[in-house]
Amino acid sequence: MARAKKRQARDGRAGSPKYHLRLFVAGDEPNSAIARQSLDKICSTYLNHNCQVEIVDVLEDFQPALDERVLVTPALVIIEPPPKVVIFGNLTDTEKVLSALKVAM
């Protein structure tokens, strides 16, 4: 089985990224593609690239989704900062995502 693709971006500070995010997608389906783009924009615009993002394609490896109890894609799991939160959908509601991340617009 394929492993989750990991992308990591940091703002240059020592230590680990402040945000640890896992995005579950279903291949290149339209909503999954939109979710990827939306998350990239949020990370660059609001999180200053201070995040670790894992992209899990459930068509390649569904076990991580089962482990997280994610049955619908796209789904964003916010692992850090706590508490763990899951957001379903294409992430175009930036305000909702930032609220879950505890980031002011």
Side-chain angles (χ1 to χ4, degrees), residues 22-33 35-36 55-62 64-66 69-77 86-91:
R22 186 173 295 138
L23 179 63
F24 291 90
V25 296
D28 289 327
E29 292 297 318
N31 275 331
S32 293
R36 280 190 194 103
I55 306 291
V56 179
D57 186 338
V58 298
L59 300 179
E60 293 179 15
D61 185 5
F62 60 86
L66 294 177
R69 296 184 177 165
V70 169
L71 303 176
V72 177
T73 62
L76 176 66
V77 178
V86 180
I87 300 172
F88 296 98
N90 61 19
L91 309 179

Side-chain angles (χ1 to χ4, degrees), residues 1 7 10 27 30 37 45 54 56 61 63-64 72 75 77 94-97 99 101:
M1 277 188 220
R7 288 184 302 183
R10 294 187 183 196
Q37 292 170 350
T45 305
E54 296 175 56
V56 179
D61 185 5
Q63 190 59 51
V72 177
V77 178
T94 303
E95 192 172 321
K96 178 180 175 182
V97 177
S99 175
L101 288 165

